[in-house]
Amino acid sequence: MSFQTYAELWRIPDVRRILVLGLFLRLPMPASAVIVTLHVVGPLDRSYAEAGLVSTVLAIAMAISAPWLGRLLDRLGLRRTLLLPLAVLPIAWSVAPWVGYLPLLALVAVAGLFTVPSFSVVRQVMIRSVGPGKRTAALSADAVMTELCFMTGPLIGVLGASYLGTSWALMLSQWLGIVAAVGLWLLNPAITESESVDPAEATASVPAVAAAIPAAVATADGGAAEPSSRRWRLPTWVSPGVVLLLAGTFAASLILVAEDLGTVAAMRDFDRTTYLGLVMAVWALGSLLGALIYGALNSHPSAAMMLVLLGATTMLAAIAPEPISFAALLLVSGFFCAPTLTAALEAITSRVSSSVRGEVMGWHGSAITLGSAVGAPAAGFAIDMIGWQGGFLLGGGLGLLISTAIWLTTRRISKPYPEASGLQAE
């Protein structure tokens, strides 16, 4: 184990710049989640269920847009892809805080469809900037920064809503992300190893972004459009191994949202809701520490192994008899949260060509979003049926089932992509 790897990563200019820029790109997400809830139940005088519907609409829109925008990244490059979000988001987020509930829903849906693919961009730059031997450490460093965003974002959102009002806080938090996106457009870092040619030259046959959208949708692998008779074939990157790893990502996300709801229910059952924020912080701290240690390891456990550990420790939290032991078990479970997602992403990207990495990372993001969208009602049902323990048992049990399928399958049917592993194609 060597933490010196992180110092070496920080000395790489592109890594340093994209990590800092990524922090500002992502902060609006957790901050706005809190602000939107306060805005809907406060100034708009709606229920918490209606506030939750806004979050659900945004999640669905982002799940739809992630693979599509990822494919545009592969085809058009970073700058031309960012023109779409930079044209739509300033308008949507300047108007949304000042309208009624139904127009807010519509504008949130539009904004979600054109959200800057920050997670995909940051990770692609990280992977491109380091050698294969440091890829896991790079993705772990990104996971640490993501955890910091989700630890500080809600606090920033609450403070902003308290001192500025929810409307101004929502608009300003989203404009922070828009300004960061403009910075990303100006910086224009390369996102693939082979990006030595200007993306505009590589797509000279496409005169404008709007003209490229139908071609991007019709193209399976980021290359030229296929004849109509082959248009509906699966993308070339699709393999049983990649599909199972995406399923593992879905399961990990489902586990996390099940733990989230289960923690709220547990602290209410323990009659210690005043300590809920502290317990959540302990859980996030475990995830942050886990990401740091996982990236510093010389040999990294597989995604299937990490999902097994995440599922098992999640189920273990269900036996806690009181708040202190519950927080301790949650810390242990949190230790495997970020590393599980990192291991799955590293395994996925090592199995595909860099020419389709943006699209694949988009599907990875969609798997996370859909896992949250499915996990929330499923965990809620389990909690209603058997108590707060139901969320942990359901999430952990599904994680163990899916990790077993991955464990038995990925070793036999999927190999790392030659360019990612440094090997020559057979």
Side-chain angles (χ1 to χ4, degrees):
M1 182 185 298
S2 175
F3 290 97
Q4 182 64 25
T5 304
Y6 292 113
E8 295 171 0
L9 289 174
W10 190 253
R11 295 190 190 103
I12 302 173
D14 278 355
V15 170
R16 185 169 60 249
R17 284 193 290 263
I18 200 63
L19 281 176
V20 174
L21 191 56
L23 185 69
F24 292 101
L25 282 167
R26 294 164 175 175
L27 264 177
M29 186 181 299
S32 296
V34 175
I35 298 171
V36 165
T37 299
L38 295 174
H39 182 66
V40 172
V41 301
L44 297 186
D45 195 25
R46 298 283 183 146
S47 67
Y48 280 97
E50 289 170 306
L53 180 60
V54 176
S55 299
T56 301
V57 167
L58 180 60
I60 293 172
M62 291 175 63
I64 293 171
S65 71
W68 170 61
L69 290 174
R71 191 177 300 181
L72 289 184
L73 281 172
D74 295 331
R75 183 173 177 81
L76 303 178
L78 179 60
R79 272 192 168 173
R80 299 183 72 181
T81 301
L82 286 180
L83 290 177
L84 282 168
L86 289 177
V88 173
L89 294 179
I91 299 173
W93 286 119
S94 294
V95 176
W98 312 100
V99 297
Y101 179 74
L102 292 179
L104 174 65
L105 272 180
L107 288 168
V108 163
V110 171
L113 289 173
F114 293 94
T115 296
V116 174
S118 56
F119 288 92
S120 179
V121 170
V122 171
R123 289 162 181 169
Q124 286 192 81
V125 174
M126 296 285 286
I127 291 172
R128 190 269 306 164
S129 301
V130 303
K134 294 181 179 179
R135 177 176 292 179
T136 302
L139 292 175
S140 295
D142 175 65
V144 170
M145 298 300 283
T146 301
E147 289 296 331
L148 288 175
C149 284
F150 281 86
M151 289 175 69
T152 59
L155 176 61
I156 293 173
V158 170
L159 290 175
S162 299
Y163 288 97
L164 301 175
T166 56
S167 295
W168 279 106
L170 179 57
M171 188 176 74
L172 292 177
S173 66
Q174 288 296 334
W175 265 94
L176 173 64
I178 293 168
V179 171
V182 172
L184 181 63
W185 187 89
L186 293 172
L187 184 62
N188 191 30
I191 56 178
T192 64
E193 292 85 346
S194 59
E195 200 173 329
S196 56
V197 180
D198 190 326
E201 297 177 8
T203 57
S205 60
V206 185
V209 174
I213 294 174
V217 173
T219 303
D221 60 358
E226 297 182 353
S228 58
S229 61
R230 300 177 60 193
R231 184 172 296 171
W232 301 109
R233 296 183 64 180
L234 288 173
T236 56
W237 57 263
V238 174
S239 68
V242 171
V243 171
L244 282 171
L245 287 165
L246 288 174
T249 302
F250 171 89
S253 178
L254 187 150
I255 290 173
L256 298 185
V257 75
E259 284 194 272
D260 194 347
L261 293 177
T263 299
V264 174
M267 296 307 291
R268 290 187 64 187
D269 192 68
F270 293 140
D271 196 22
R272 292 292 186 274
T273 52
T274 53
Y275 295 102
L276 177 60
L278 178 61
V279 172
M280 288 291 207
V282 168
W283 184 31
L285 176 64
S287 184
L288 189 151
L289 293 175
L292 277 174
I293 294 174
Y294 185 78
L297 293 175
N298 296 322
S299 178
H300 302 95
S302 68
M305 171 62 77
M306 297 307 299
L307 190 56
V308 167
L309 293 171
L310 177 60
T313 53
T314 297
M315 296 184 74
L316 188 63
I319 68 172
E322 39 78 31
I324 295 178
S325 60
F326 176 74
L329 291 172
L330 205 60
L331 174 69
V332 173
S333 179
F335 195 80
F336 301 104
C337 292
T340 301
L341 294 172
T342 298
L345 180 59
E346 198 282 329
I348 289 170
T349 55
S350 71
R351 286 168 165 79
V352 300
S353 166
S354 62
S355 64
V356 295
R357 192 177 289 154
E359 181 181 357
V360 175
M361 284 192 174
W363 282 108
H364 177 267
S366 293
I368 293 176
T369 303
L370 292 174
S372 297
V374 173
F381 178 77
I383 291 169
D384 289 337
M385 291 292 293
I386 64 174
W388 67 265
Q389 295 90 344
F392 292 89
L393 295 175
L394 173 74
L398 286 177
L400 289 176
L401 285 175
I402 295 177
S403 63
T404 300
I406 298 173
W407 188 286
L408 295 174
T409 309
T410 51
R411 292 182 178 181
R412 303 177 183 178
I413 59 179
S414 185
K415 296 180 180 179
Y417 196 82
E419 75 176 37
S421 62
L423 303 174
Q424 296 295 322
E426 297 179 358

